[in-house]
Amino acid sequence: MIYSEFMKRPYVILNAAMTVDGKIATRAGDSQISCPADLKRLHRLRSRVDAVMVGAGTILSDDPSLTVRRVKGRNPLRVVVDGRARVPPTARVFRGGPPTVVAVGSRAPRSRIEGLRRVAEVWVFSGPPIDLRELLAKLYARGVKRLLLEGGSTLNWHMMRSGLVDELRVSISPRVVGGESAKTLVGGEGFARVSEGVRLKLRQIQRVGRDLLLVFEVRGSGASKNC
Ligand SMILES: NC(=O)c1ccc[n+]([C@@H]2O[C@H](COP(=O)([O-])OP(=O)(O)OC[C@H]3O[C@@H](n4cnc5c(N)ncnc54)[C@H](OP(=O)(O)O)[C@@H]3O)[C@@H](O)[C@H]2O)c1
């Protein structure tokens, strides 16, 4: 479905860096895939959105700060989807910039929720799983009109499957890393049939340093011709 303001949710851009074989990290969790020029592009994109969102797995694996550092610009609101409140209060995402929002499920351990409250703004939803549509509506009400989804694999799947991604920006690094357990761009349970998959329309192809950036518009899921 094409995005409209009437949806009362932010316009969502999913950005990721992957190898030619579709991996966003190696089997050991190394996700340093982008070249310097692509990292600069990512930081510029961050400075132009209202919020950046990641899943708990990305915080636990990469400990990113999600701030704007490689270009001049303001830091967006940072949002972590953490159904079981697994993210430690010492994570970098809670330092510098505006307070980070952590979306947790009401069934998460109370002590961990309280620990997060000391360093972040904690929003409690029913679950896990958290209803991502509800989270996006709450972010929209808070003034978030453009949201950058920065992974990882599992959250990308939940957002894609729920029809909550409007644009996909994938930078492809000229490397192959293999590995059955290495995370791919979109993980989760996956669709059984290609015809069920999310349909994309290619909008832009651009060389960024040694990487190749592809920008797609998300057209929705369900049946259509493959080509
Ligand atoms: N190359 C890139 O561009 C890039 C970018 C980002 C990440 N990565 C890589 O991706 C990997 C991490 O991916 P991942 O799949 O393990 O983790 P992830 O997608 O970052 O986080 C998954 C976790 O998010 C929480 N979550 C997701 N949807 C939820 C929902 N609807 N309700 C409640 N909680 C929800 C769950 O936490 P609970 O299980 O606690 O409920 C889930 O386990 C890392 O290796 C990282 O390096 C690469």
Side-chain angles (χ1 to χ4, degrees), residues 15-18 23-26 28-34 42 54-62 81-87 103-105 126-132 150-159 183-185 187-188:
N15 186 89
M18 69 178 198
K23 310 294 188 186
I24 59 167
T26 65
D30 180 8
S31 61
Q32 306 295 302
I33 292 171
S34 288
L42 171 63
V54 297
T58 295
I59 300 293
L60 293 170
S61 160
D62 298 355
V81 186
D82 186 13
R84 291 178 286 162
R86 288 185 300 149
V87 164
V104 301
S126 58
I130 289 165
D131 182 340
L132 295 168
E150 284 199 44
S153 188
T154 309
L155 185 59
N156 288 350
W157 160 254
H158 287 288
M159 289 286 289
K183 298 276 179 181
T184 57
L185 176 62

